[in-house]
Amino acid sequence: MVLIGALLLTYAVAMAPTTTFGGREDGQSDRLAKAEPGPPPRPAAELFPPAGKAFIGVMTDKGPHDFAALDTFTAAAKHQPQVMLFSSWWASDTFDRTLFDRISGRGMLPVLAWEPWDNKLDEAARKKGLPTREIDRIRSNQPNYRLSRITGGDFDPYLRSWAEGIKSLGYPVGIRLAHEMNGDWYPWSEASNANRPGEYVKAWRHVHDVFRAAGATNVIWVWSPNARWDDSAPKLSGLYPGDGYVDWVGLSGYYGIGVYTDYRSFDEIVGPTITEIRTFTSKPMVITETGASDAKGRKAEWITETFRVLPRYKDIIGLIWFEVDKELDWRIVSSPAVAKAFAQGAAAPRYDFSWSPSVLPRKELEK
């Protein structure tokens, strides 16, 4: 009997389920753990602009301070711009959240043209009716805004105040810092204001690093030279801060001013500079300023041709129109024929999408 009991006890122990400290069978626990569904995968973030699309943006004289010109442009273009570019000057402007929120509230990505200078010198020179090159000389000579002072930290408290403000927005913001640096008409150009070669890149990286240290990771950094006007223009590679400091490369190019007074197509104006830029970076490109005058009566024709060739530039993800009557009338509302040409171009499906604060900026070109 003792032997039989021992055998039965051994059998019971061998066949009984082992348990975890939670009291469940080990085998069952493993099977259940494998069967239990995990959290659903997060959907891929929507990118701006979407694949195969390009945005149309606008810059007006008063920007978010007064939307009257924006409304007129939108009605003429029969298109809701997805981006608004506006200017701010270090000598006079402090961070104002209202301006960014007004733009985003209209369904547009705010892009700040952030300019380290005192623009009042420029305004005063223009009121005197001085020649263009004399105005350039006056406004570019501002020792208080030399590049070495930016790199040296003289403006760091000011930079941090903007970094903290933009960080608090919680949605993406473009910063086109110190644009058209390859000219000689601004005090941040290496060709003016007693600046030296290499100082532009150092100043750009310093500003970028102040924002990064503040945690302002919602910035789209937009590096934006002027379209090459002749062979005397400096090489752009020496002015490029590097892909680690730039998200979009921009470009300013107009028809009907300076060396472009005679008719020159969009291809002729921007093509050589784009080719040059592509030798050192493949970052997405935005035409950050463009417009056309009607001095030769071919403004509508130029706009039509521009919209026709734009799809060939797969690396251009957006175009910002300079809707301002300044020096010349660049606006699309300058005539019904011009407005019609722009509206027809903007009606293409590739521009039909919207911006929202939740989308992420496309920082790499489509594969």
Side-chain angles (χ1 to χ4, degrees), residues 265-286:
S265 68
F266 179 82
D267 282 331
E268 291 174 307
I269 293 171
V270 305
T273 311
I274 293 176
T275 299
E276 179 183 0
I277 289 173
R278 286 303 174 225
T279 64
F280 56 83
T281 181
S282 60
K283 285 291 185 177
M285 176 168 286
V286 176

Side-chain angles (χ1 to χ4, degrees), residues 57-58 60 63-64 67 70 82-86 103 108-112:
V58 65
T60 64
F67 283 137
L70 168 68
Q82 297 99 335
V83 169
M84 184 173 218
L85 174 68
F86 72 104
I103 294 174
M108 297 180 293
L109 168 71
V111 177
L112 172 69

Side-chain angles (χ1 to χ4, degrees), residues 300-349:
E301 177 187 351
W302 190 87
I303 290 173
T304 297
E305 183 182 28
T306 296
F307 273 108
R308 180 175 58 81
V309 302
L310 267 174
R312 300 177 189 168
Y313 292 89
K314 303 301 183 183
D315 52 349
I316 294 179
I317 64 170
L319 176 146
I320 301 176
W321 190 265
F322 191 66
E323 187 69 3
V324 179
D325 185 355
K326 176 186 175 184
E327 299 152 346
L328 295 170
D329 191 349
W330 308 106
R331 301 172 303 161
I332 67 168
V333 298
S334 61
S335 76
V338 170
K340 181 179 179 181
F342 196 96
Q344 288 176 337

Side-chain angles (χ1 to χ4, degrees), residues 18 33 45 47 64 104 131 146 172 199 214 217 220 225 238 252 259 261 280 287 319 328 336 366:
T18 57
L47 294 180
S104 66
R146 283 184 180 140
E199 289 187 334
T217 58
I220 308 164
S252 298
V259 297
T261 300
F280 56 83
I287 305 301
L319 176 146
L328 295 170
E366 299 171 45

Side-chain angles (χ1 to χ4, degrees), residues 167-182:
K167 175 185 175 182
S168 72
L169 294 174
Y171 51 78
V173 169
I175 294 183
R176 186 184 68 156
L177 173 65
H179 64 295
E180 298 175 10
M181 76 302 294
N182 56 326

Side-chain angles (χ1 to χ4, degrees), residues 16 20 35-36 49 70 78 110 146 151 167 181 192 217 228 232 238 245 265 273 286-287 289 299:
T20 65
E36 290 176 357
L70 168 68
K78 299 180 181 179
R146 283 184 180 140
T151 305
K167 175 185 175 182
M181 76 302 294
S192 63
T217 58
R228 176 174 289 279
S232 68
Y245 292 86
S265 68
T273 311
V286 176
I287 305 301
E289 275 190 49
K299 183 173 182 177

Side-chain angles (χ1 to χ4, degrees), residues 228-247:
R228 176 174 289 279
W229 54 94
D230 58 36
D231 291 339
S232 68
K235 291 185 177 181
L236 292 174
S237 57
L239 298 169
Y240 185 63
D243 284 356
Y245 292 86
V246 173
D247 299 307

